[in-house]
Structure formats: C-alpha cells, structure tokens
Amino acid sequence: MKAVVVAEHGGPDVLRIEDREIPEISATEVLIKVEAISVNFADIKARVGEYHGQTGFPFTPGLDCAGVIVKAGEEVRDLKEGQRVMAFPKGGSYAEYVCADPVLTYALPDELDSETAAASLTVGVTAYNVLKKMAGLMKGESILIHASAGGIGTTAVQLAKLFGAATIIGTVGSDEKKQLVESLGADHVINYREQNFVDEVMKLTKEEGVDVILDTVAGDNFNRSMECLSHFGRIVNFGHANDGSHPGEVKTNALHSSCRTVIGYSTGTYRKRRPAFLRDSAEQLIQLLVGGKLQMQISERFPLAEAGQAQAHVESRKSTGKILLIP
C-alpha cells in the first residue's frame, strides 16, 4: 500500500509517499480500506514536533479517515466486513489501509458519503464536545469563536446556532473569509488583523463580554480573550496554533471574584485515555449530518501523494473549512 511517512521534523517537504506493508490486525481490530482522509492542524504540529504524544520516527501522520472495512478480527462483534465507517485509526491515517479499534470506529449510514464523514470526524467531535460538554453552552448565551473560518470554526459556528446561542461572534484573518462565516450563522465577524477583537466584542456585548470563548490559538490570544470574557463565562482552550513558545497565562485572581472558568480539552487525549467518551458526540454528529442540519465545508481535495502541498495550503492561512486527501 501507499502511505505518507515522516522521517524527520521539518517543512511540508518532509512528507514522503512510500510503499508499506498493509497493517496486520489483532483479533480485536478492524482493517479499513481508506476512501478519504482529513487534514487537521494537529497533523502539521506533529510534522514540526509540537504535537503532544507524538514521538519517534518514522511515523505516518493523520488523525481520522473514512472507508470500508475489509477485514474484522475474530473477536469483533459490532462491525463486519463490507461496512462503511469513519474512524480514528492506529498509527496515522495518511495511508491506503489503516487498522482501528472498534471503540474508535463508527458505522456510517448509506446517506452519508465518505468525504463528508472524513471531513467531519475530528472537527465535528471536537466542536460538539467543547460547546456542549466542556463549555455547556446554553440557549440565549453569547459566544466568541476564534479561527471561525477553519474546519473546527465553521463547524462550531453552525453547532452554536443549533444549540441556541443568541449572539455568535467569529474572528478571521481576512475580509475574504468573513462572508463564509456569516453565511453559516455568525452574527458578527471580526478581522483580527484590522480590528482589536477585545474592543469589538466589548462594544457588541455592551461591555459585558461573552459567555463562552473557543480558543485554539493560545498565547497572547488567550490572554486577550480573558479580557472580554463575562462574569460566569467559560473559555475553552483546545489548541495552540501560535508557535507554542509563549503559552497563555491564567491568573487566579481573575477567576474567583468573577466566577469565570478556564477549561482545557483535547480530542487526542480522550482518544487515548477515554475513547468511549467520544462515541456519543460522533453519533450525534452523524445524525446532524444526515438530517441536513450541519454542512461540512470542504474547500479542496488533494491526492495522497500531495500531502505536503495540502499541509502547506493549510499553513498559508488561506484555506477555509476542511482539506481532504484522497488515496
């Protein structure tokens, strides 16, 4: 089979396509023939050596995929050969075949195509969990979603609308991205390169601040976000899209008197330590997609051999929604 391999940390050019043996599965695993793979920012973090839990060379990057089960271990009960699934596989998803644990493999209905499924898994599960299970977004609340034109951002804007948010504010890095985010349900979109998002949020909320903030940038962006978080507000940090050298800081005296909450979240950590936790959000995601209530924003597709170009496009900050690799 063909697989993308990283033998050293570096730029997009370190991603090489190689011939590899199709993985052997254990009695409790399934083998999936991959039909579509999503490119996530975590893949880039792994490539440059900044993704938690990624150690050793060589490795195949990638968090998720969709495809068809071609072999099921003898102890697997709820999945079978020929079944269409999306999954968080073992050993990276940038490959033509992957093996996966059934607890992290989710059956797909006929109405849901593989490209949509692959595009949705990491960003959909993450957006659902940070909104519903971490922040506990309630009907009538306000929310600020950073990087709202990206994969998680475009999904979170739609989910926040479905969950009844009264005011949805997004931040983007260019005016070209504003129209997309507004079309998905955002009430206000701020170009952070041209406007001070803290000042704008405070104006829009009559100096009260927002109830919920989703932060995947960290660093100074986190510090500034705390300035526009309301009393009883919740900020969820679930990424560090900055260079990681200047983490955000939490000052306890800014928490207790205002009753604000800082929450950390990682789908990767749940995947490794509490995988069963992710099933509910994955199944809810499937229902929303099949029901037409959630639309995945797939902007471009690249062949597997062009994984480097795909990641470079994401790094350029010019992409919107999801980028896919097609084996």
Side-chain angles (χ1 to χ4, degrees):
M1 71 170 188
K2 299 292 185 183
V4 174
V5 176
V6 177
E8 61 180 331
H9 293 141
D13 59 314
V14 303
L15 297 173
R16 304 293 176 86
I17 190 85
E18 295 184 2
D19 288 314
R20 293 272 165 157
E21 293 296 323
I22 294 175
E24 294 288 335
I25 61 169
S26 72
T28 59
E29 296 174 336
V30 296
L31 180 66
I32 301 169
K33 186 179 189 301
V34 178
E35 294 181 339
I37 306 154
S38 77
V39 178
N40 293 287
F41 202 79
D43 307 343
I44 295 168
K45 287 293 186 179
R47 192 198 73 217
V48 300
E50 296 179 1
Y51 186 66
H52 60 91
Q54 181 63 60
T55 58
F57 295 107
F59 68 89
T60 293
L63 301 180
D64 53 15
C65 63
V68 179
I69 294 176
V70 293
K71 187 177 181 180
E74 57 265 30
E75 295 181 22
V76 175
R77 295 291 175 264
D78 297 327
L79 297 168
K80 59 185 179 180
E81 294 179 16
Q83 195 166 21
R84 297 177 56 252
V85 294
M86 61 182 183
F88 294 111
K90 298 174 64 177
S93 61
Y94 285 26
E96 292 180 323
Y97 290 86
V98 298
C99 63
D101 190 309
V103 74
L104 291 170
T105 304
Y106 314 102
L108 296 177
D110 293 339
E111 300 93 325
L112 191 56
D113 66 274
S114 293
E115 289 192 1
T116 300
S120 70
L121 186 51
T122 292
V123 298
V125 163
T126 300
Y128 185 94
N129 283 340
V130 296
L131 284 167
K132 201 76 169 177
K133 299 188 177 184
M134 301 296 123
L137 178 70
M138 295 183 288
K139 185 176 181 179
E141 289 192 311
S142 56
I143 183 170
L144 170 64
I145 301 172
H146 287 299
S148 58
I152 292 176
T154 53
T155 307
V157 167
Q158 295 178 74
L159 291 178
K161 195 77 171 179
L162 289 172
F163 296 158
T167 303
I168 302 171
I169 305 170
T171 65
V172 295
S174 69
D175 286 340
E176 290 77 13
K177 295 180 179 180
K178 292 176 73 171
Q179 186 174 357
L180 168 63
V181 179
E182 289 171 344
S183 72
L184 296 174
D187 300 291
H188 309 280
V189 184
I190 301 166
N191 182 342
Y192 65 84
R193 297 185 189 277
E194 297 182 354
Q195 298 173 290
N196 183 315
F197 77 80
V198 175
D199 292 344
E200 293 302 313
V201 168
M202 295 306 286
K203 289 177 186 175
L204 291 169
T205 59
K206 299 180 180 179
E207 304 302 319
E208 291 291 328
V210 287
D211 299 302
V212 172
I213 299 178
L214 303 187
D215 173 40
T216 55
V217 183
D220 185 56
N221 192 80
F222 174 87
N223 299 337
R224 294 170 63 206
S225 294
M226 288 293 292
E227 297 176 19
C228 58
L229 183 64
S230 70
H231 279 64
F232 305 98
R234 292 86 69 202
I235 181 169
V236 187
N237 173 259
F238 52 107
H240 56 286
N242 70 341
D243 62 9
S245 61
H246 300 289
E249 297 180 354
V250 179
K251 295 180 173 61
T252 54
N253 62 357
L255 298 179
H256 73 276
S257 61
S258 62
C259 299
R260 293 186 291 180
T261 303
V262 177
I263 307 163
Y265 173 83
S266 165
T267 293
T269 300
Y270 274 100
R271 193 175 65 240
K272 294 173 184 177
R273 294 181 176 270
R274 298 184 180 181
F277 174 86
L278 301 177
R279 181 160 295 277
D280 174 64
S281 49
E283 291 177 348
Q284 294 292 332
L285 177 67
I286 289 171
Q287 291 181 25
L288 291 171
L289 290 166
V290 171
K293 295 181 179 179
L294 177 64
Q295 302 291 328
M296 298 312 301
Q297 305 300 306
I298 301 172
S299 59
E300 293 193 54
R301 299 160 179 81
F302 290 80
L304 183 62
E306 295 179 10
Q309 293 95 309
Q311 287 197 2
H313 185 54
V314 175
E315 286 182 283
S316 73
R317 308 288 183 175
K318 295 179 181 178
S319 65
T320 58
K322 289 299 298 178
I323 306 296
L324 295 183
L325 295 176
I326 307 298

